[in-house]
Amino acid sequence: MSDFTNFAVYHIYPLGFCGCPKTNDYSENTENRLKKIEDAIPHIKEMGFNAIYFGPVFQSVAHGYDTVDYTKIDSRLGTNADFAALCKKLHENGIKVVLDGVFNHCGWRFFAFEDVVQKGEASRYKDWFYRLEFPVVRPEDPEAIPGYECFGYERLMPKLDTANPEVREYFCSVGEHWVREYGIDGWRLDVAS
């Protein structure tokens, strides 16, 4: 990881900055909207920033904090290859890359939560989440109380048990993946507990 002494950090919420649709259709025919950030590099440098902190960039249902796949760039932004090219261009311009690690909770379409919904108490991921009531059902009624603990009472974001060694191992591997494969320089960890 990088030394961030004397850095001026510019925060970008990519889904908004790049004009992405509000909800994800998970299309494989993605437009490289990350190009808009690449085009802004001269302006960012001119303002004196030498690091960019990206709000959520992982595949999600809607706003980014409801992550579905922590190993894939949100298809509304582009592809993993597009993100790799952006990181390369930022580094060539002396700009560090920091990602938002939203590891406290996930979207309710995240693979481990899907497994719990499908298999109930037989799911190997049942201990990844707090206070599950079986059967686990996604409440379609916005007034319904979900049978699982959520982040900030948001029923679409089940709370992960980050004290669970398997959850920690999973997110450590996610973190290492983005550092190793994309050369990111740091993480901002969303919600400490």
Side-chain angles (χ1 to χ4, degrees):
M1 298 299 258
S2 296
D3 175 16
F4 279 91
T5 307
N6 299 320
F7 273 84
V9 180
Y10 188 77
H11 176 219
I12 293 176
Y13 175 66
L15 294 171
F17 186 91
C18 296
C20 295
K22 298 259 187 239
T23 57
N24 200 336
D25 68 3
Y26 307 104
S27 173
E28 291 300 318
N29 300 320
T30 60
E31 175 185 340
N32 181 9
R33 289 187 174 97
L34 292 170
K35 180 82 170 83
K36 185 171 182 181
I37 297 170
E38 184 179 325
D39 293 344
I41 290 173
H43 180 64
I44 292 167
K45 285 179 67 174
E46 183 181 302
M47 290 188 297
F49 293 102
N50 51 13
I52 295 179
Y53 152 50
F54 288 100
V57 294
F58 306 127
Q59 187 78 288
S60 69
V61 176
H63 46 71
Y65 293 94
D66 52 348
T67 307
V68 173
D69 188 339
Y70 290 90
T71 65
K72 186 174 180 184
I73 291 295
D74 195 297
S75 54
R76 293 170 290 174
L77 292 168
T79 65
N80 283 26
D82 296 333
F83 183 72
L86 175 60
C87 287
K88 183 175 187 284
K89 189 75 166 176
L90 289 167
H91 286 139
E92 286 170 355
N93 280 274
I95 299 173
K96 304 276 188 196
V97 177
V98 178
L99 293 185
D100 201 351
V102 183
F103 304 147
N104 171 269
H105 52 274
C106 60
W108 69 352
R109 299 287 181 205
F110 177 56
F111 81 92
F113 196 72
E114 280 288 326
D115 196 78
V116 169
V117 170
Q118 297 300 318
K119 298 178 183 169
E121 291 185 75
S123 171
R124 70 174 297 268
Y125 301 106
K126 71 177 193 264
D127 295 330
W128 281 36
F129 301 93
Y130 281 102
R131 296 185 184 94
L132 297 176
E133 295 174 10
F134 296 99
V136 175
V137 178
R138 293 184 186 95
E140 298 302 327
D141 175 359
E143 301 299 317
I145 298 172
Y148 47 88
E149 189 167 331
C150 306
F151 170 71
Y153 306 103
E154 173 49 63
R155 65 190 175 82
L156 302 179
M157 296 189 305
K159 189 166 167 32
L160 288 153
D161 182 358
T162 55
N164 179 312
E166 285 184 17
V167 173
R168 287 182 185 181
E169 184 177 326
Y170 173 77
F171 284 116
C172 282
S173 71
V174 165
E176 290 169 2
H177 166 77
W178 290 97
V179 170
R180 186 178 55 252
E181 299 298 322
Y182 299 88
I184 71 155
D185 301 288
W187 286 97
R188 178 256 182 192
L189 299 179
D190 182 71
V191 188
S193 63

